[in-house]
Amino acid sequence: QGDEINLDVNVGAFITMNPGYLGRSELPEGLKALFRPITVMVPDFMLIMENMFMSEGFLDAKKLALKFSTLYALNKDLLSKSNKYDWGMRAIKSVLVVAGGFKRAEQTLPEQAVLMRSLRDTNVAKIEGDDLKIFTGLLGDLFPGVEVPRARDLEFERVLVDVMETDFGYTNDPDGYLLLKITQLIELLSIRHSVFLMGEPGSFKSSMWRILRNAKTRTGDKTTVVDFSPKAISTNELYGSVNMATREWKDGILSKTMRELGQIPDTLPKWIMLDGDLDANWIESMNSVMDDSRLLTLPSNERIPLKLHMKMIFEIRDLNYATPATATRAGIVCMSDVDGVQWRSYVQSWIKKQEHPPAVKEQLDKYFEKYGNDALYWFLKNTKILVPMVDINMISACCSLLEALITPDKYEVIEYWFIFCFTSACGFCLTEVDGVDYRKQFSDWWKGEMKTIKYPSKGTIFDYFVRESKFEEWATFVDEIEYSSETPMGDVTVPTNETAAMSFIMQSLIRMCHPIMLIGLAGCGKTQSCLGLLRQLPADAFMFFAMNMSFYTDSTLLQTMMESPLEKKAGKLYAPPGKLRMIYFIDDLNMPALDKYNTQSAIELLKEKQDYDHWWDRNKITLKDIGNTQYMTCMNPTAGSFIVNPRLQRHFWTCAVPFPEASALHVIYATFMKGHFERLPFKASVTENVSGVIKAALSLHQSVVASFRKTAANFHYEFNIRHMSGVFAGLLSAKPAEFSDPEKFVLLWIHESERVYGDRLVSVSDLKKYRGLALELSKKMFGKFNFQKYFQEKNPEPLVFAPFSKGISEMDGGGFYDRIAGYDRLSELLNAALNEYNENNAAMDLVLFGDAMCHVGKICRIITSTPGHPLLVGVGGSGRQSLSRLSSYTCMYNTMMIVISGNYGMNDLKADLQAMYTKAGVKEEGVMFLFTDGQITNEKFLVYINDLLASGDIADLYASDEKDAIRNAVRSGCKGAGIQDTPENLWMYFIGRIRKNLHMSLCFSPVGDVMWSRARKFPAIVNCTVIDWFQQWPMDALLNVAAKFLSPMQQLGSDTSPLRAAIQDFFPFSYEAVNQLSQEYIQKERRFAYTTPKSFLELLRLYMTMLENKADALEDKKKRLSSGLIKLRTTQEQVAGLEEELKDKVVVVEEKAGEAKIFAEEVGKEKAKVNAEAEKASIEAVKCKGIAEQVAEKKRECTKELEQAVPLVNQAEAALDVLDKKEFNELKAFTRPPPGVDTVCEAAVHLQAGLG
């Protein structure tokens, strides 16, 4: 820095750029101004071709160049506009290089044949479908009569086929499609060091390079392959990064891999396999590696070369997000699956691996051809599937089912079993789409077309399974279960025809380690079905680990979660404990956010693990092999990203889970109700109404679904099985002691239904509509009871069931869920609880009007259930937090709330959550976590909240050692419950306590679209909570609040004062008037003016403040006036007294004045005497002044003479200083001094004596 550098005029700097591409940015203006811009035009390709043909040794260069340029010009115009096609300079150069090689290798071949062969062999690898027909037609027209066979290495092809069969168990297809593609890959690798492998999922892209790798290794050309997914890691983890704090360089996976492979001393083939979707974020940084420079330039200024024996292979989905600069730098091999080559080859390979007799294998092969092709074509032509499916996806699932189910005893009826497996593997992915039931259509088509084995006419083909040599309904397979209401409904799965079929197939696929995916709308039972099945698996063979995806789940977080239950085995292998097989249950698979390139890093990590059984350690940059694991997933295809990467999707057997039919729902809930009401000693009159209540509940649910449709504004109007289960869970809380009256039992159903359905509704009009539906149905189903009084518009009788029906003192054991008769009793109970709360905590000045008390009852109902999380939706000031605190205290819970500060972050939230988990899970204390939308300073807070709501198990809340401490803390409780204390059981027991004791009260505002956005990103906010929508406060509530606030104001008079009554009445009137004007404002101006309970309270406070200020001002003026009058009276009295004193003092003053006059005359006489003396003193002063001047003159003269004498004295003293005692002794010893000395001594004596 600061040094001057002389520039060499012979050195220039050049910049090449393609502006406007995705991932590219413009040069800064300051830099751009230093360079001269030059626009490069499209060159004359024909002239360039001619010159290069001549340089390669062609004689007829001009004619060949004309044909070559014509072909590429026609290709550009006639072929489809696909990103994979490149007809530019790089492609031209590749063809010319290949043509030159052919020319020199086969000199007898005509030049036109050489060019034709070069054009064909370098281009057909990336052309498919109709484009291939057009291309071959153009070649035939330009080179008529020229037929050159492909160059084939038959010996190496035999090695390839042997590797295919022995190493991988594959079967070569009769047409040799895979061999052709492998050959094309070999040809491309000989002229390009970067190759793209493209094609539909399951089109054998991975198999192609794996077979080629093993074949080259077998022939002595050992090939090393390092694979990773660039989308499963960040760009910094791919290339490396500089730590800006320490300036240290940390390698990335690619940089380390390229360096280490380049340092191996041999020249054997080394491939870097990048298996992941392209995006401009990472592929643009690879351009210098993919072009002729073959250099990876890193931010650390290191340049790593890609040596000649090293290749880069990209296995990708498409080139949608690749720039032309990227697409033209690599060769492309494109795989097609339209002819069914892949699934047929897969079937042949699978059959070959089976240990069935040859006759059985032949039959299986025949059945695949008989049923497979037609069925797959029908799927392609006639169906809409919610997720992308490919042929091999269905066929592989069918093969897994056949392998699991076909045993020697079933050989006689193997066609029955084949049909069952095939229809189950293919047809379960179908469901109703856009009003069309494609599953039923497939069933009808199969019954109509496939008549060799006939299905019964009743129902669909999916209602049957194979028993012995015939189809039987699943109903015969379903066993009734005995239910005890001591077990939560959520822990029990009641088998039905649909769930029995699904569970049977899932169990079969789990044994074959085949991934499973359930898709369906929210609340259709996907998660419950999976968890129910996973809990039933043998504990000595399987374990499962549940995870919930959210909007912010990325590959780093997912990898952390997936590694947590694994333990290190030998070497780099990680696997579940012991010999168990781990099933990763991943819910909401499609919830992670899409980046701008339409990809999800978490999904890419799952794909990498599924394809390669490993992932990378991000810190050590080493591989971790993952063993004994498989996937089971659920997702809602109408939420999140809708679908996931088709390359991951193709591994799964996909089952669309529809909403259960009415008959199945009746079976499910009848099981629960009978297990409660028939097991406990309820009166017969109550149990007689159970069946009617079930029918009424199902009917009401259908009516609600039909009447309240989901819209953009009312996004939560989605009513499903969760809500029906909520109603029945409330019914199961009834106890014989409290519910001996059938009318009361029916009232409980009405109450629970309104809590589940009515409390979700956003407006009074919707609530009124719902109550109309409920009233109509209750009259129809239970006409003998009079329910009109609970639904009338004016002064309806309150219908409140709550667990604190016998007071807060009885809430220790969970309370008694019973009806509270009237607002008076409700007010008595809650005011007592409020008074007790205020004695023990910071006082809350609450007005418990009717609606507020009902909300307390609703919240208590929610938080006393397992798990119960209320979502309280209302505008500011509606009392959500205060009522939550009161409800928590009423239920004897501890209320905990995070304290937001400027530096509150994720770690602080984790610490707070750990404290709550310790209280709820270890100490078994009831905890309410009160959380408001105003506390969401970081949207990632909701990742933890989503997990807490969904399952209670927050993935990375605890480190492994902390988990061990928790397991030890709950071990005694787990043993006491009769549960074996395995690590998994201990943790599940802890989570069970959390779900029971920790309840989250979410207080959100409906204003704006923030809540909608958060619910979309984190579905548990709506799906796993019970919504209580706070409506506008009614007029009587406003009046009560106004009276409560104004009661201390003495200025308004007594309680019966007309003035007080008029002012109290005015406040609700003004609030309602402003609300009406706000609605008009919305309609006319399309702008919002919100009036909330908070603004009503602020109005009251403003009025009270102003009234107090005015009263204080008047009081102050009154005090000032009174004080002034008193002062005036006091002053008048003081003035009168002063006047009397003044009269007496006037006489004294006159006497004093006379005396003063006489004294003045005497003073005048004395003054004359003083003046005379003063004149004399002046004369003397003049004389004294003269004497002083003379003295001063003498002093100056003496001082001058003294100054002259001082040096002489100093000299004399100096002369004396040289004398010492010895000399004086010598002088004293003289009896007679020498001559002259006596004279000097006399003089000295005279001087010392002061004599003259």
Side-chain angles (χ1 to χ4, degrees), residues 477-742:
F477 187 77
V478 176
D479 297 325
E480 289 189 8
I481 65 169
E482 295 292 330
Y483 172 71
S484 169
S485 55
E486 295 172 357
T487 306
M489 287 176 58
D491 294 344
V492 178
T493 302
V494 179
T496 63
N497 294 359
E498 294 91 338
T499 59
M502 188 167 63
S503 298
F504 179 79
I505 296 169
M506 289 166 67
Q507 285 178 340
S508 302
L509 292 173
I510 285 173
R511 295 200 304 271
M512 304 311 301
C513 305
H514 196 99
I516 295 167
M517 176 185 290
L518 302 189
I519 60 174
L521 300 177
C524 64
K526 307 182 297 295
T527 304
Q528 183 64 30
S529 298
C530 289
L531 291 176
L533 175 62
L534 292 171
R535 293 189 187 106
Q536 294 173 5
L537 294 175
D540 58 344
F542 292 95
M543 63 178 291
F544 71 93
F545 184 72
M547 298 178 289
N548 280 81
M549 294 271 204
S550 71
F551 184 80
Y552 289 108
T553 303
D554 59 9
S555 60
T556 305
L557 175 60
L558 181 64
Q559 184 171 335
T560 302
M561 290 192 291
M562 295 179 72
E563 286 180 353
S564 61
L566 302 179
E567 61 182 30
K568 194 176 189 306
K569 304 290 186 180
K572 56 184 179 179
L573 176 64
Y574 290 79
K579 295 184 179 180
L580 296 176
R581 185 160 195 87
M582 166 77 73
I583 300 175
Y584 286 116
F585 173 57
I586 307 171
D587 207 356
D588 296 325
L589 181 67
N590 59 348
M591 282 309 300
L594 287 170
D595 60 23
K596 60 183 178 181
Y597 306 107
N598 204 33
T599 57
Q600 299 154 296
S601 64
I603 300 301
E604 288 294 327
L605 181 72
L606 293 174
K607 182 181 75 66
E608 181 180 25
K609 185 266 164 191
Q610 181 63 31
D611 288 338
Y612 297 96
D613 283 330
H614 63 230
W615 54 54
W616 285 78
D617 187 312
R618 297 163 190 261
N619 295 319
K620 299 178 182 178
I621 315 182
T622 55
L623 276 176
K624 286 184 174 180
D625 291 330
I626 310 300
N628 288 341
T629 60
Q630 63 190 85
Y631 294 144
M632 177 183 288
T633 65
C634 294
M635 73 178 195
N636 180 355
T638 64
S641 61
F642 306 131
I643 62 172
V644 295
N645 190 336
R647 297 187 61 202
L648 174 67
Q649 178 73 55
R650 71 100 178 164
H651 291 286
F652 289 88
W653 172 73
T654 304
C655 176
V657 183
F659 284 106
E661 296 179 356
S663 58
L665 291 173
H666 192 277
V667 169
I668 293 170
Y669 294 116
T671 302
F672 290 127
M673 295 291 278
K674 288 179 180 177
H676 181 72
F677 287 92
E678 293 183 0
R679 188 179 62 85
L680 298 179
F682 283 93
K683 288 187 176 180
S685 58
V686 174
T687 55
E688 288 170 0
N689 285 280
V690 168
S691 178
V693 165
I694 295 173
K695 292 177 182 178
L698 298 179
S699 299
L700 181 60
H701 179 82
Q702 294 300 324
S703 300
V704 169
V705 170
S707 301
F708 301 100
R709 296 290 186 180
K710 181 178 180 180
T711 63
N714 301 328
F715 63 93
H716 62 289
Y717 276 19
E718 194 170 21
F719 302 96
N720 49 52
I721 295 178
R722 283 195 184 97
H723 305 101
M724 296 181 66
S725 298
V727 173
F728 284 99
L731 293 173
L732 294 183
S733 62
K735 297 295 186 290
E738 288 83 29
F739 289 85
S740 58
D741 180 14

Side-chain angles (χ1 to χ4, degrees), residues 333 357 373 452 900 1104 1190:
V333 179
N373 195 55
T452 306
I900 298 296
M1104 293 166 62
Q1190 292 174 2

Side-chain angles (χ1 to χ4, degrees), residues 45-87:
F45 286 141
M46 181 176 171
L47 186 60
I48 295 173
M49 292 173 184
E50 184 178 349
N51 282 297
M52 292 190 70
F53 271 127
M54 288 189 288
S55 68
E56 292 286 352
F58 286 85
L59 301 177
D60 201 3
K62 190 174 186 68
K63 187 181 294 185
L64 295 176
L66 176 62
K67 290 194 173 189
F68 193 172
S69 61
T70 302
L71 175 65
Y72 269 32
L74 290 171
N75 284 345
K76 191 173 183 180
D77 292 337
L78 298 179
L79 269 60
S80 61
K81 308 301 178 186
S82 175
N83 294 330
K84 64 189 176 185
Y85 294 151
D86 171 29
W87 315 114

Side-chain angles (χ1 to χ4, degrees), residues 45-308:
F45 286 141
M46 181 176 171
L47 186 60
I48 295 173
M49 292 173 184
E50 184 178 349
N51 282 297
M52 292 190 70
F53 271 127
M54 288 189 288
S55 68
E56 292 286 352
F58 286 85
L59 301 177
D60 201 3
K62 190 174 186 68
K63 187 181 294 185
L64 295 176
L66 176 62
K67 290 194 173 189
F68 193 172
S69 61
T70 302
L71 175 65
Y72 269 32
L74 290 171
N75 284 345
K76 191 173 183 180
D77 292 337
L78 298 179
L79 269 60
S80 61
K81 308 301 178 186
S82 175
N83 294 330
K84 64 189 176 185
Y85 294 151
D86 171 29
W87 315 114
M89 199 63 241
R90 285 195 179 93
I92 290 171
K93 183 184 176 185
S94 298
V95 173
L96 291 170
V97 169
V98 171
F102 285 165
K103 172 72 174 173
R104 289 183 289 276
E106 301 183 32
Q107 299 181 7
T108 59
L109 199 64
E111 291 184 347
Q112 289 206 18
V114 170
L115 176 59
M116 183 266 187
R117 176 181 170 186
S118 303
L119 288 167
R120 182 195 64 199
D121 291 356
T122 55
N123 284 294
V124 293
K126 63 184 176 185
I127 303 175
E128 58 182 1
D130 293 335
D131 285 350
L132 184 58
K133 296 177 183 178
I134 296 172
F135 179 75
T136 53
L138 292 173
L139 269 182
D141 293 342
L142 287 169
F143 301 94
V146 178
E147 290 289 340
V148 184
R150 281 179 47 245
R152 298 181 65 181
D153 185 345
L154 297 178
E155 182 178 349
F156 190 69
E157 285 185 9
R158 284 193 290 271
V159 175
L160 288 171
V161 172
D162 186 53
V163 167
M164 203 183 300
E165 293 178 350
T166 57
D167 292 6
F168 297 95
Y170 296 160
T171 301
N172 187 29
D173 58 286
D175 297 330
Y177 179 78
L178 186 55
L179 277 181
L180 172 63
K181 288 299 175 181
I182 293 174
T183 304
Q184 291 172 352
L185 176 60
I186 296 170
E187 292 168 352
L188 277 177
L189 289 173
S190 66
I191 59 173
R192 295 283 187 105
H193 61 275
S194 299
V195 177
F196 291 150
L197 306 183
M198 292 175 56
E200 288 295 318
S203 57
F204 289 177
K205 300 185 294 295
S206 299
S207 301
M208 178 167 53
W209 66 261
R210 283 173 171 154
I211 292 169
L212 178 57
R213 174 197 61 191
N214 286 19
K216 290 174 75 68
T217 300
R218 183 176 294 191
T219 56
D221 210 9
K222 183 181 179 181
T223 303
T224 303
V225 179
V226 178
D227 63 83
F228 53 87
S229 172
K231 289 297 294 183
I233 52 179
S234 67
T235 305
N236 286 344
E237 291 167 338
L238 177 64
Y239 291 107
S241 61
V242 176
N243 186 327
M244 300 308 294
T246 62
R247 308 302 298 175
E248 292 182 355
W249 169 256
K250 180 183 178 183
D251 262 333
I253 295 176
L254 177 63
S255 57
K256 183 179 179 182
T257 300
M258 279 187 64
R259 188 188 304 110
E260 290 181 349
L261 290 178
Q263 290 172 350
I264 298 175
D266 60 53
T267 58
L268 294 172
K270 293 169 182 63
W271 297 348
I272 300 175
M273 170 60 58
L274 293 95
D275 187 343
D277 293 333
L278 290 187
D279 71 45
N281 193 34
W282 69 268
I283 194 62
E284 284 295 314
S285 301
M286 201 82 72
N287 282 351
S288 61
V289 184
M290 297 170 65
D291 64 18
D292 293 339
S293 60
R294 302 172 69 108
L295 283 174
L296 178 64
T297 304
L298 300 173
S300 62
N301 294 327
E302 182 183 5
R303 305 179 76 188
I304 304 175
L306 185 76
K307 295 187 177 179
L308 294 176

